[in-house]
Amino acid sequence: MSSKSLDSFLQQNLDDLKDKGLYNVIDPLESPNGPMITIGGRELINLSSNNYLGLATDQRLKDVANQAIEKYGVGAGAVRTINGTLDLHVQLEEKLAEFKHTEAAIAYQSGFNCNMAAISAVMDKNDAILSDELNHASIIDGCRLSKAKIIRVNHSDMDDLRAKAKEATESGLYNKVMVITDGVFSMDGDIAKLPEIVEIAEEFDLITYVDDAHGSGVLGEGAGTVKHFGLSDKVDFQIGTLSKAIGVVGGYVAGKKDLIDWLKVRSRPFLFSTSLTPADVAASKKAIEILMESTELNERLWDNANYLKKGLVELGFDIGASETPITPCIIGDELKTQEFSKRLNEEGVYAKSIVFPTVPRGTGRVRNMPSAAHTKEMLDKAIAIYEKVGKELGII
Ligand code: PMP
């Protein structure tokens, strides 16, 4: 028998979320997460995946993953520091360092995990972290876990960052001060002002931490936001995920050798959670090799992204501050956002609504994620459906 207090807590809160249009329904896919997906037996144009380059279903990745399973099995068998480090893990980390132009790199089981691991391995209660208010949830949780003083910075507001950096460093209260930001902000698609952030960091001796989950494979001809701005030697922590453009799963830190050596002995998911599977590691390594060899997929991604964005803007949709393939259509009201997404789905487009707490209240949006794998015909069809539903609901 379950606890009465738990039952009433769950019922009240779930009902409340449903009434406010904040309850997220999960639709299982019956197909790969490619440009077209099948849900409930219906084929839909997929504008919700992070599979930017289409690599999640790439035959070259599937082949090396299958070979890795044949050679090593399906699981790594232990945490990295016991005997769960395969030669494949080492090769992946060497490739990541090459990809990010750093001395070394360390891989984790997810991007989320990586932020929890890396921030708390370096920062503690005697430190402070200047964190952009729109940073990803995993950054926020990593900061909280570290017990450092968290100083929220207004989104991409460099005057606010400078003032707070000055105050924190001159207060004498903290041993170390870090500035932490997404490279590309995941819900709006705008790019962090890294040149200014790095300049402020140099002025006040801040540790710099950039989570480039949505920039890698996308900006800097695929190498990421730090490379895009030519700042590879000026950022202490370059974080990435293997789950978006790379198409697999996992996360990583790229940086100086001493930093990576420290993370190997002090970051808890590395020490206490079983390492990435052989198939994940082999496929990720292959994806990075493909990205380093050719910019073809990256160019196709941008071509499709620009095409979709132009189509939506011409129809009158508000795509906010987007500078990257992440293309929100901002609706505002949560219930209307959910209705919009539902109608798009009925007409043949899968574009998920994103509402509080993922974004601030009153800024509900349908977020579109074009990929290199979409065809122009798919995008034309999606734009036509947006026009129909947008007019029907009085959004455009
Ligand atoms: N950081 C950012 C900025 C993200 O957008 C995400 C993905 N939602 C993550 C970290 C987490 O990455 P992963 O999905 O690999 O856990």
Side-chain angles (χ1 to χ4, degrees):
M1 211 179 76
S2 62
S3 141
K4 285 199 189 65
S5 58
L6 175 63
D7 286 349
S8 84
F9 164 82
L10 294 174
Q11 203 173 353
Q12 260 176 31
N13 285 291
L14 286 170
D15 287 349
D16 185 48
L17 288 180
K18 284 175 190 162
D19 289 346
K20 290 182 180 142
L22 299 176
Y23 183 76
N24 185 25
V25 179
I26 294 172
D27 309 307
L29 272 62
E30 295 136 22
S31 64
N33 202 343
M36 301 295 296
I37 48 176
T38 309
I39 294 176
R42 296 173 57 236
E43 211 187 25
L44 301 161
I45 301 166
N46 178 17
L47 287 176
S48 281
S49 161
N50 294 317
N51 180 18
Y52 285 111
L53 302 174
L55 287 170
T57 53
D58 191 286
Q59 193 57 47
R60 294 165 289 182
L61 272 66
K62 289 199 241 179
D63 287 345
V64 293
N66 282 325
Q67 287 157 15
I69 289 175
E70 284 307 321
K71 179 166 177 190
Y72 298 93
V74 291
V79 304
R80 289 287 303 270
T81 49
I82 307 281
N83 68 351
T85 296
L86 305 171
D87 51 2
L88 276 182
H89 290 97
V90 178
Q91 289 160 20
L92 170 67
E93 289 168 341
E94 285 169 359
K95 194 48 77 183
L96 284 166
E98 207 185 316
F99 178 49
K100 289 287 162 179
H101 304 275
T102 58
E103 287 174 12
I106 178 171
Y108 293 96
Q109 301 85 344
S110 76
F112 201 106
N113 207 337
C114 174
N115 280 327
M116 303 288 281
I119 302 168
S120 62
V122 170
M123 304 303 279
D124 64 32
K125 62 179 172 26
N126 300 311
D127 299 323
I129 304 175
L130 298 154
S131 176
D132 188 287
E133 63 181 334
L134 294 190
N135 277 343
H136 188 256
S138 56
I139 295 181
I140 297 169
D141 287 6
C143 291
R144 286 183 183 150
L145 187 66
S146 76
K147 299 196 175 72
K149 166 83 178 163
I150 301 166
I151 303 170
R152 254 167 75 112
V153 177
N154 295 338
H155 178 52
S156 276
D157 180 341
M158 294 301 112
D159 291 337
D160 195 41
L161 175 62
R162 180 181 294 278
K164 287 173 176 161
K166 186 169 173 12
E167 196 184 329
T169 48
E170 287 178 0
S171 70
L173 291 171
Y174 310 112
N175 290 342
K176 307 191 281 307
V177 181
M178 172 184 273
V179 55
I180 189 159
T181 184
D182 279 17
V184 172
F185 289 89
S186 55
M187 296 301 144
D188 293 275
D190 54 325
I191 304 171
K193 294 178 180 160
L194 283 191
E196 289 97 320
I197 292 173
V198 163
E199 197 187 303
I200 294 169
E202 283 183 344
E203 188 178 338
F204 296 102
D205 188 32
L206 311 178
I207 300 167
T208 44
Y209 188 112
V210 178
D211 175 351
D212 209 21
H214 288 278
S216 293
V218 176
L219 289 172
E221 295 185 328
T225 311
V226 173
K227 175 78 186 331
H228 168 75
F229 287 116
L231 297 168
S232 299
D233 56 342
K234 305 225 160 149
V235 171
D236 296 306
F237 288 77
Q238 290 196 55
I239 309 302
T241 172
L242 302 170
S243 65
K244 301 188 193 299
I246 302 300
V248 192
V249 73
Y252 60 91
V253 183
K256 289 235 165 73
K257 185 176 176 303
D258 280 353
L259 170 63
I260 304 306
D261 284 349
W262 178 249
L263 294 175
K264 284 183 179 166
V265 293
R266 272 295 176 279
S267 57
R268 293 168 71 82
F270 192 84
L271 298 169
F272 298 114
S273 181
T274 298
S275 40
L276 284 166
T277 73
D280 296 331
V281 179
S284 298
K285 178 169 159 272
K286 185 70 189 171
I288 293 158
E289 282 164 4
I290 292 170
L291 275 184
M292 289 174 70
E293 272 161 22
S294 158
T295 55
E296 189 194 327
L297 290 174
N298 181 264
E299 282 159 25
R300 222 183 290 162
L301 165 68
W302 277 97
D303 190 37
N304 281 343
N306 291 333
Y307 190 81
L308 179 73
K309 288 167 96 153
K310 185 164 172 280
L312 294 175
V313 169
E314 277 173 6
L315 287 175
F317 284 101
D318 174 9
I319 65 163
S322 170
E323 302 172 84
T324 61
I326 297 175
T327 309
C329 280
I330 299 169
I331 314 290
D333 178 74
E334 279 81 14
L335 286 169
K336 193 156 195 177
T337 306
Q338 299 227 341
E339 176 61 15
F340 185 52
S341 168
K342 182 167 157 271
R343 283 289 301 122
L344 288 172
N345 187 320
E346 285 163 2
E347 295 293 329
V349 170
Y350 194 85
K352 195 84 176 169
S353 61
I354 305 210
V355 294
F356 179 81
T358 310
V359 292
R361 279 184 207 277
T363 69
R365 68 207 52 200
V366 168
R367 189 179 63 156
N368 300 287
M369 309 289 279
S371 79
H374 286 98
T375 62
K376 289 288 184 316
E377 290 69 32
M378 291 172 196
L379 297 177
D380 282 337
K381 193 159 173 222
I383 293 167
I385 293 171
Y386 260 86
E387 181 173 16
K388 177 173 181 206
V389 177
K391 285 184 175 156
E392 179 188 302
L393 297 185
I395 293 163
I396 52 168

